[in-house]
Amino acid sequence: MTMTRISRRSLISGLGALGASGALAACGGGPAGSATPNEVSFANWSDNFADLYTQSLDAYEAQSGVTVVRQADVPFDDYQTRFRTLLSGGQPPGLMRLNDDFVREMTDKEQLADLGERISGLSEEEYFADVAAFTALESGQGGLPIGSSPRVLFYNKTMLQEAGITPPSSWVPDQWQWDDVLAAAQEVTGGDRYGICLWTDTGFENTFAVNNGGPGIFSADGTSFTLADPAGIEAIQWVVDLTLKHKVQPTWAYLTGEDADLRLFTAGNLGMFFGTMGLATYMRENVTDFEWDVAPMPAKVEQRQEGSLSVFVVPRESADVDRGWELLQWMVGRESGSIFAEAGAFIPLHREAAALVEKTSTQGENMALFAEAAGYQTTVNSTRATAQAVQLYRPQLERAYIGEISVEEALTSVRAQVERVIG
């Protein structure tokens, strides 16, 4: 959900006291009761940060005296199938990770425990309120994002400096507009070198629509396909025109190859590209012939970025609802957040922990920009059928990407179909 446009619930009563207390007492069982008083079950899918989750859970066990029973990590696709099934009628864990696309669907179906009554006033001084608000829906609040992986512009610092271009290192909208980015891309494009690549990460759809003053792909209530509104159409057409009109972005056909944008960038043939914080690790390992850095998303009406969220929820039918809640408190707290921040994994929900994201390479990339990015968070407003909607509109957009039809034709042609699915 776009954080600034949804009703805010809030965070945790006494979160700050958790670390000082040194222990988290269990509050009793969930709806079905708990068979083992000092255990809580936990599920996640496999990713690059498994060791960091292990560190966090080990620290929780040491401080709380509660054993975390960790279900075996499985690949993302397998996880979606397994745990959607568990939520529907099995025995789900006390705390589990959930694809953020499914938060509204699972909440509306009352498959998540409503933690609203356990959540007191959110302190914006301590936590990123816009990020936390993602799970605050009219039908309840089943969990929280423990952090976000912001999207930014990675750029070839050597290339841009040689052209006399220095992108800003902080989120200053009047110094980094769409026209500034286009001008920079035009300056460095030539021969086999492109100035920019935005459309290999589908997060550009919502990001640029929001920064053009619209609500993003979907309306705040999840029932309207607002990417087909004028603000959305103009934003997507601007990105498409980087290729079709200005010739500063590789063609859509060229970019269908696996990691084509990353290969272009590491070879020194791409000035700027759009991606998440997690790509910084790839950059450190693969960029050897030039310096690189990161810049904020460009502004037009607004300056926002769509961070990928790590959402954890407490299933309603779990036997461990209370202990799942307590473990979630730990996961969003300073100590756990610091583990992820210091490793550069993502930006934790806790502001003090987020401040620990530091430069982790001799390249000199501006890691502090990622921490600042959490204050400029936007996300796709969720619907009851986001996956089906995407399957309807993206094939039409691809026709616009190759110049077969306009973006307006692509989006308006499927608007009624999309809205029937999500309405």
Side-chain angles (χ1 to χ4, degrees):
M1 241 132 284
T2 302
M3 303 309 173
T4 56
R5 290 178 171 80
I6 62 177
S7 59
R8 290 186 176 180
R9 302 276 177 107
S10 47
L11 253 183
I12 298 154
S13 176
L15 260 180
L18 273 175
S21 69
L24 299 171
C27 299
S34 289
T36 308
N38 290 316
E39 288 186 354
V40 60
S41 51
F42 175 87
N44 192 6
W45 60 75
S46 55
D47 62 20
N48 294 330
F49 306 121
D51 289 346
L52 302 181
Y53 282 104
T54 296
Q55 291 179 42
S56 173
L57 297 176
D58 286 350
Y60 174 76
E61 289 180 327
Q63 291 202 28
S64 68
V66 174
T67 299
V68 180
V69 180
R70 309 167 200 196
Q71 299 191 11
D73 290 352
V74 295
F76 176 80
D77 289 341
D78 293 339
Y79 183 94
Q80 305 314 304
T81 301
R82 177 196 296 183
F83 290 100
R84 283 175 69 96
T85 300
L86 285 175
L87 278 174
S88 299
Q91 296 181 348
L95 185 67
M96 63 176 287
R97 192 169 176 183
L98 184 66
N99 182 340
D100 55 10
D101 287 343
F102 301 147
V103 170
R104 179 180 288 272
E105 176 186 346
M106 300 306 183
T107 304
D108 287 356
K109 289 180 178 178
E110 298 184 345
Q111 292 179 326
L112 306 180
D114 186 358
L115 304 176
E117 292 186 1
R118 304 178 189 226
I119 294 173
S120 65
L122 175 66
S123 168
E124 294 195 29
E125 289 74 29
E126 292 184 88
Y127 302 95
F128 293 111
D130 284 351
V131 179
F134 176 74
T135 54
L137 305 173
E138 295 80 2
S139 51
Q141 186 169 17
L144 288 168
I146 68 170
S148 64
S149 183
R151 285 180 170 90
V152 296
L153 286 183
F154 290 81
Y155 68 92
N156 183 321
K157 185 175 181 180
T158 302
M159 183 190 299
L160 267 63
Q161 282 187 336
E162 289 175 353
I165 300 165
T166 303
S169 59
S170 62
W171 295 75
V172 185
D174 60 349
Q175 296 180 19
W176 195 232
Q177 298 278 315
W178 289 9
D179 287 345
D180 297 321
V181 170
L182 174 57
Q186 290 172 321
E187 185 68 26
V188 300
T189 295
D192 60 354
R193 196 165 76 176
Y194 291 94
I196 194 166
C197 182
L198 297 178
W199 53 8
T200 49
D201 184 324
T202 56
F204 90 87
E205 298 169 354
N206 197 64
T207 302
F208 280 84
V210 168
N211 284 344
N212 201 32
I217 299 173
F218 306 111
S219 60
D221 65 3
T223 63
S224 297
F225 181 46
T226 49
L227 193 63
D229 287 350
I233 291 169
E234 181 183 36
I236 303 304
Q237 189 67 59
W238 185 86
V239 174
V240 172
D241 284 347
L242 293 173
T243 293
L244 300 184
K245 180 179 178 181
H246 303 294
K247 315 297 183 184
V248 297
Q249 178 174 242
T251 65
W252 182 252
Y254 178 85
L255 292 167
T256 55
E258 184 177 358
D259 294 333
D261 55 342
L262 293 179
R263 287 187 281 105
L264 260 181
F265 187 79
T266 56
N269 293 323
L270 181 61
M272 298 173 281
F273 79 96
F274 177 56
T276 64
M277 178 179 176
L279 290 175
T281 299
Y282 180 92
M283 294 295 105
R284 294 185 201 108
E285 295 174 353
N286 292 280
V287 174
T288 58
D289 297 330
F290 58 88
E291 287 189 88
W292 62 274
D293 213 324
V294 291
M297 294 308 303
K300 192 175 184 187
V301 178
E302 295 190 54
Q303 187 182 38
R304 311 286 286 180
Q305 61 81 26
E306 183 193 329
S308 177
L309 300 177
S310 297
V311 176
F312 281 82
V313 298
V314 178
R316 182 178 182 181
E317 297 303 320
S318 170
D320 298 327
V321 168
D322 292 319
R323 285 186 294 281
W325 163 242
E326 291 166 355
L327 179 54
L328 180 56
Q329 288 181 306
W330 166 265
M331 296 291 289
V332 298
R334 188 186 190 283
E335 186 169 344
S336 178
S338 297
I339 292 170
F340 294 94
E342 290 173 347
F346 55 68
I347 304 302
L349 190 66
H350 195 283
R351 288 181 182 271
E352 287 187 14
L356 298 176
V357 174
E358 298 175 349
K359 183 179 73 172
T360 55
S361 165
T362 56
Q363 287 273 20
E365 75 273 18
N366 181 26
M367 292 297 289
L369 184 78
F370 290 116
E372 188 180 350
Y376 295 83
Q377 172 79 17
T378 186
T379 52
V380 179
N381 287 324
S382 60
T383 77
R384 296 179 176 88
T386 297
Q388 294 95 311
V390 167
Q391 291 171 357
L392 287 169
Y393 78 78
R394 282 193 181 146
Q396 292 303 308
L397 272 183
E398 289 185 14
R399 296 178 62 199
Y401 297 165
I402 62 175
E404 184 178 313
I405 58 176
S406 69
V407 170
E408 182 175 12
E409 290 171 317
L411 294 176
T412 56
S413 68
V414 294
R415 180 167 199 158
Q417 291 175 273
V418 171
E419 292 183 346
R420 277 196 298 271
V421 167
I422 64 177

mmCIF file with all atom_site columns, all heavy atoms in Angstrom, residues 397-410:
data_model
loop_
_atom_site.group_PDB
_atom_site.id
_atom_site.type_symbol
_atom_site.label_atom_id
_atom_site.label_alt_id
_atom_site.label_comp_id
_atom_site.label_asym_id
_atom_site.label_entity_id
_atom_site.label_seq_id
_atom_site.pdbx_PDB_ins_code
_atom_site.Cartn_x
_atom_site.Cartn_y
_atom_site.Cartn_z
_atom_site.occupancy
_atom_site.B_iso_or_equiv
_atom_site.pdbx_formal_charge
_atom_site.auth_seq_id
_atom_site.auth_comp_id
_atom_site.auth_asym_id
_atom_site.auth_atom_id
_atom_site.pdbx_PDB_model_num
ATOM 1   N N   . LEU A 1 397 ? 1.207  -3.721 -22.031 1.00 0.00 ? 397 LEU A N   1
ATOM 2   C CA  . LEU A 1 397 ? 2.285  -2.743 -21.919 1.00 0.00 ? 397 LEU A CA  1
ATOM 3   C C   . LEU A 1 397 ? 3.481  -3.129 -22.783 1.00 0.00 ? 397 LEU A C   1
ATOM 4   O O   . LEU A 1 397 ? 4.145  -2.268 -23.365 1.00 0.00 ? 397 LEU A O   1
ATOM 5   C CB  . LEU A 1 397 ? 2.731  -2.599 -20.456 1.00 0.00 ? 397 LEU A CB  1
ATOM 6   C CG  . LEU A 1 397 ? 1.988  -1.584 -19.595 1.00 0.00 ? 397 LEU A CG  1
ATOM 7   C CD1 . LEU A 1 397 ? 2.603  -1.519 -18.205 1.00 0.00 ? 397 LEU A CD1 1
ATOM 8   C CD2 . LEU A 1 397 ? 1.993  -0.200 -20.232 1.00 0.00 ? 397 LEU A CD2 1
ATOM 9   N N   . GLU A 1 398 ? 3.759  -4.407 -22.863 1.00 0.00 ? 398 GLU A N   1
ATOM 10  C CA  . GLU A 1 398 ? 4.898  -4.839 -23.675 1.00 0.00 ? 398 GLU A CA  1
ATOM 11  C C   . GLU A 1 398 ? 4.699  -4.474 -25.143 1.00 0.00 ? 398 GLU A C   1
ATOM 12  O O   . GLU A 1 398 ? 5.671  -4.223 -25.868 1.00 0.00 ? 398 GLU A O   1
ATOM 13  C CB  . GLU A 1 398 ? 5.131  -6.341 -23.506 1.00 0.00 ? 398 GLU A CB  1
ATOM 14  C CG  . GLU A 1 398 ? 5.679  -6.694 -22.119 1.00 0.00 ? 398 GLU A CG  1
ATOM 15  C CD  . GLU A 1 398 ? 6.037  -8.154 -21.976 1.00 0.00 ? 398 GLU A CD  1
ATOM 16  O OE1 . GLU A 1 398 ? 6.116  -8.856 -23.021 1.00 0.00 ? 398 GLU A OE1 1
ATOM 17  O OE2 . GLU A 1 398 ? 6.240  -8.600 -20.836 1.00 0.00 ? 398 GLU A OE2 1
ATOM 18  N N   . ARG A 1 399 ? 3.473  -4.416 -25.592 1.00 0.00 ? 399 ARG A N   1
ATOM 19  C CA  . ARG A 1 399 ? 3.204  -3.958 -26.958 1.00 0.00 ? 399 ARG A CA  1
ATOM 20  C C   . ARG A 1 399 ? 3.569  -2.477 -27.105 1.00 0.00 ? 399 ARG A C   1
ATOM 21  O O   . ARG A 1 399 ? 4.068  -2.057 -28.161 1.00 0.00 ? 399 ARG A O   1
ATOM 22  C CB  . ARG A 1 399 ? 1.736  -4.168 -27.315 1.00 0.00 ? 399 ARG A CB  1
ATOM 23  C CG  . ARG A 1 399 ? 1.301  -5.630 -27.344 1.00 0.00 ? 399 ARG A CG  1
ATOM 24  C CD  . ARG A 1 399 ? -0.190 -5.735 -27.651 1.00 0.00 ? 399 ARG A CD  1
ATOM 25  N NE  . ARG A 1 399 ? -0.514 -5.175 -28.973 1.00 0.00 ? 399 ARG A NE  1
ATOM 26  C CZ  . ARG A 1 399 ? -1.733 -4.806 -29.341 1.00 0.00 ? 399 ARG A CZ  1
ATOM 27  N NH1 . ARG A 1 399 ? -2.755 -4.898 -28.476 1.00 0.00 ? 399 ARG A NH1 1
ATOM 28  N NH2 . ARG A 1 399 ? -1.943 -4.323 -30.551 1.00 0.00 ? 399 ARG A NH2 1
ATOM 29  N N   . ALA A 1 400 ? 3.338  -1.714 -26.045 1.00 0.00 ? 400 ALA A N   1
ATOM 30  C CA  . ALA A 1 400 ? 3.724  -0.299 -26.068 1.00 0.00 ? 400 ALA A CA  1
ATOM 31  C C   . ALA A 1 400 ? 5.237  -0.143 -26.010 1.00 0.00 ? 400 ALA A C   1
ATOM 32  O O   . ALA A 1 400 ? 5.799  0.786  -26.607 1.00 0.00 ? 400 ALA A O   1
ATOM 33  C CB  . ALA A 1 400 ? 3.071  0.437  -24.906 1.00 0.00 ? 400 ALA A CB  1
ATOM 34  N N   . TYR A 1 401 ? 5.908  -1.037 -25.296 1.00 0.00 ? 401 TYR A N   1
ATOM 35  C CA  . TYR A 1 401 ? 7.364  -0.949 -25.171 1.00 0.00 ? 401 TYR A CA  1
ATOM 36  C C   . TYR A 1 401 ? 8.074  -1.091 -26.511 1.00 0.00 ? 401 TYR A C   1
ATOM 37  O O   . TYR A 1 401 ? 9.164  -0.546 -26.708 1.00 0.00 ? 401 TYR A O   1
ATOM 38  C CB  . TYR A 1 401 ? 7.886  -2.018 -24.220 1.00 0.00 ? 401 TYR A CB  1
ATOM 39  C CG  . TYR A 1 401 ? 7.407  -1.898 -22.791 1.00 0.00 ? 401 TYR A CG  1
ATOM 40  C CD1 . TYR A 1 401 ? 7.557  -2.965 -21.906 1.00 0.00 ? 401 TYR A CD1 1
ATOM 41  C CD2 . TYR A 1 401 ? 6.816  -0.735 -22.317 1.00 0.00 ? 401 TYR A CD2 1
ATOM 42  C CE1 . TYR A 1 401 ? 7.127  -2.869 -20.594 1.00 0.00 ? 401 TYR A CE1 1
ATOM 43  C CE2 . TYR A 1 401 ? 6.371  -0.633 -21.018 1.00 0.00 ? 401 TYR A CE2 1
ATOM 44  C CZ  . TYR A 1 401 ? 6.529  -1.714 -20.154 1.00 0.00 ? 401 TYR A CZ  1
ATOM 45  O OH  . TYR A 1 401 ? 6.097  -1.625 -18.858 1.00 0.00 ? 401 TYR A OH  1
ATOM 46  N N   . ILE A 1 402 ? 7.462  -1.822 -27.436 1.00 0.00 ? 402 ILE A N   1
ATOM 47  C CA  . ILE A 1 402 ? 8.100  -1.998 -28.750 1.00 0.00 ? 402 ILE A CA  1
ATOM 48  C C   . ILE A 1 402 ? 7.512  -1.053 -29.794 1.00 0.00 ? 402 ILE A C   1
ATOM 49  O O   . ILE A 1 402 ? 7.844  -1.139 -30.983 1.00 0.00 ? 402 ILE A O   1
ATOM 50  C CB  . ILE A 1 402 ? 7.981  -3.455 -29.229 1.00 0.00 ? 402 ILE A CB  1
ATOM 51  C CG1 . ILE A 1 402 ? 6.517  -3.863 -29.410 1.00 0.00 ? 402 ILE A CG1 1
ATOM 52  C CG2 . ILE A 1 402 ? 8.695  -4.399 -28.258 1.00 0.00 ? 402 ILE A CG2 1
ATOM 53  C CD1 . ILE A 1 402 ? 6.350  -5.265 -30.010 1.00 0.00 ? 402 ILE A CD1 1
ATOM 54  N N   . GLY A 1 403 ? 6.634  -0.143 -29.348 1.00 0.00 ? 403 GLY A N   1
ATOM 55  C CA  . GLY A 1 403 ? 6.097  0.872  -30.244 1.00 0.00 ? 403 GLY A CA  1
ATOM 56  C C   . GLY A 1 403 ? 4.916  0.437  -31.076 1.00 0.00 ? 403 GLY A C   1
ATOM 57  O O   . GLY A 1 403 ? 4.481  1.152  -31.983 1.00 0.00 ? 403 GLY A O   1
ATOM 58  N N   . GLU A 1 404 ? 4.350  -0.721 -30.772 1.00 0.00 ? 404 GLU A N   1
ATOM 59  C CA  . GLU A 1 404 ? 3.206  -1.229 -31.541 1.00 0.00 ? 404 GLU A CA  1
ATOM 60  C C   . GLU A 1 404 ? 1.951  -0.419 -31.264 1.00 0.00 ? 404 GLU A C   1
ATOM 61  O O   . GLU A 1 404 ? 1.141  -0.162 -32.166 1.00 0.00 ? 404 GLU A O   1
ATOM 62  C CB  . GLU A 1 404 ? 2.986  -2.704 -31.190 1.00 0.00 ? 404 GLU A CB  1
ATOM 63  C CG  . GLU A 1 404 ? 1.899  -3.394 -31.973 1.00 0.00 ? 404 GLU A CG  1
ATOM 64  C CD  . GLU A 1 404 ? 1.778  -4.872 -31.613 1.00 0.00 ? 404 GLU A CD  1
ATOM 65  O OE1 . GLU A 1 404 ? 2.821  -5.553 -31.548 1.00 0.00 ? 404 GLU A OE1 1
ATOM 66  O OE2 . GLU A 1 404 ? 0.638  -5.334 -31.385 1.00 0.00 ? 404 GLU A OE2 1
ATOM 67  N N   . ILE A 1 405 ? 1.750  -0.022 -30.000 1.00 0.00 ? 405 ILE A N   1
ATOM 68  C CA  . ILE A 1 405 ? 0.638  0.841  -29.599 1.00 0.00 ? 405 ILE A CA  1
ATOM 69  C C   . ILE A 1 405 ? 1.174  1.842  -28.580 1.00 0.00 ? 405 ILE A C   1
ATOM 70  O O   . ILE A 1 405 ? 2.299  1.697  -28.077 1.00 0.00 ? 405 ILE A O   1
ATOM 71  C CB  . ILE A 1 405 ? -0.530 0.032  -28.975 1.00 0.00 ? 405 ILE A CB  1
ATOM 72  C CG1 . ILE A 1 405 ? -0.039 -0.775 -27.758 1.00 0.00 ? 405 ILE A CG1 1
ATOM 73  C CG2 . ILE A 1 405 ? -1.170 -0.873 -30.012 1.00 0.00 ? 405 ILE A CG2 1
ATOM 74  C CD1 . ILE A 1 405 ? -1.148 -1.531 -27.036 1.00 0.00 ? 405 ILE A CD1 1
ATOM 75  N N   . SER A 1 406 ? 0.379  2.850  -28.253 1.00 0.00 ? 406 SER A N   1
ATOM 76  C CA  . SER A 1 406 ? 0.785  3.809  -27.235 1.00 0.00 ? 406 SER A CA  1
ATOM 77  C C   . SER A 1 406 ? 0.512  3.248  -25.844 1.00 0.00 ? 406 SER A C   1
ATOM 78  O O   . SER A 1 406 ? -0.266 2.301  -25.683 1.00 0.00 ? 406 SER A O   1
ATOM 79  C CB  . SER A 1 406 ? 0.019  5.125  -27.418 1.00 0.00 ? 406 SER A CB  1
ATOM 80  O OG  . SER A 1 406 ? -1.355 4.939  -27.094 1.00 0.00 ? 406 SER A OG  1
ATOM 81  N N   . VAL A 1 407 ? 1.129  3.835  -24.851 1.00 0.00 ? 407 VAL A N   1
ATOM 82  C CA  . VAL A 1 407 ? 0.868  3.423  -23.473 1.00 0.00 ? 407 VAL A CA  1
ATOM 83  C C   . VAL A 1 407 ? -0.596 3.666  -23.132 1.00 0.00 ? 407 VAL A C   1
ATOM 84  O O   . VAL A 1 407 ? -1.232 2.840  -22.463 1.00 0.00 ? 407 VAL A O   1
ATOM 85  C CB  . VAL A 1 407 ? 1.793  4.181  -22.502 1.00 0.00 ? 407 VAL A CB  1
ATOM 86  C CG1 . VAL A 1 407 ? 1.369  3.948  -21.044 1.00 0.00 ? 407 VAL A CG1 1
ATOM 87  C CG2 . VAL A 1 407 ? 3.243  3.764  -22.699 1.00 0.00 ? 407 VAL A CG2 1
ATOM 88  N N   . GLU A 1 408 ? -1.158 4.765  -23.584 1.00 0.00 ? 408 GLU A N   1
ATOM 89  C CA  . GLU A 1 408 ? -2.570 5.040  -23.319 1.00 0.00 ? 408 GLU A CA  1
ATOM 90  C C   . GLU A 1 408 ? -3.459 3.943  -23.890 1.00 0.00 ? 408 GLU A C   1
ATOM 91  O O   . GLU A 1 408 ? -4.384 3.453  -23.209 1.00 0.00 ? 408 GLU A O   1
ATOM 92  C CB  . GLU A 1 408 ? -2.965 6.392  -23.903 1.00 0.00 ? 408 GLU A CB  1
ATOM 93  C CG  . GLU A 1 408 ? -4.409 6.763  -23.622 1.00 0.00 ? 408 GLU A CG  1
ATOM 94  C CD  . GLU A 1 408 ? -4.767 8.162  -24.103 1.00 0.00 ? 408 GLU A CD  1
ATOM 95  O OE1 . GLU A 1 408 ? -3.962 8.755  -24.850 1.00 0.00 ? 408 GLU A OE1 1
ATOM 96  O OE2 . GLU A 1 408 ? -5.853 8.656  -23.722 1.00 0.00 ? 408 GLU A OE2 1
ATOM 97  N N   . GLU A 1 409 ? -3.184 3.522  -25.099 1.00 0.00 ? 409 GLU A N   1
ATOM 98  C CA  . GLU A 1 409 ? -3.979 2.451  -25.699 1.00 0.00 ? 409 GLU A CA  1
ATOM 99  C C   . GLU A 1 409 ? -3.815 1.154  -24.916 1.00 0.00 ? 409 GLU A C   1
ATOM 100 O O   . GLU A 1 409 ? -4.782 0.424  -24.672 1.00 0.00 ? 409 GLU A O   1
ATOM 101 C CB  . GLU A 1 409 ? -3.544 2.243  -27.153 1.00 0.00 ? 409 GLU A CB  1
ATOM 102 C CG  . GLU A 1 409 ? -3.938 3.374  -28.092 1.00 0.00 ? 409 GLU A CG  1
ATOM 103 C CD  . GLU A 1 409 ? -3.306 3.229  -29.466 1.00 0.00 ? 409 GLU A CD  1
ATOM 104 O OE1 . GLU A 1 409 ? -2.104 2.895  -29.539 1.00 0.00 ? 409 GLU A OE1 1
ATOM 105 O OE2 . GLU A 1 409 ? -4.026 3.444  -30.460 1.00 0.00 ? 409 GLU A OE2 1
ATOM 106 N N   . ALA A 1 410 ? -2.595 0.872  -24.511 1.00 0.00 ? 410 ALA A N   1
ATOM 107 C CA  . ALA A 1 410 ? -2.326 -0.373 -23.793 1.00 0.00 ? 410 ALA A CA  1
ATOM 108 C C   . ALA A 1 410 ? -3.093 -0.445 -22.477 1.00 0.00 ? 410 ALA A C   1
ATOM 109 O O   . ALA A 1 410 ? -3.729 -1.459 -22.165 1.00 0.00 ? 410 ALA A O   1
ATOM 110 C CB  . ALA A 1 410 ? -0.824 -0.506 -23.529 1.00 0.00 ? 410 ALA A CB  1
#
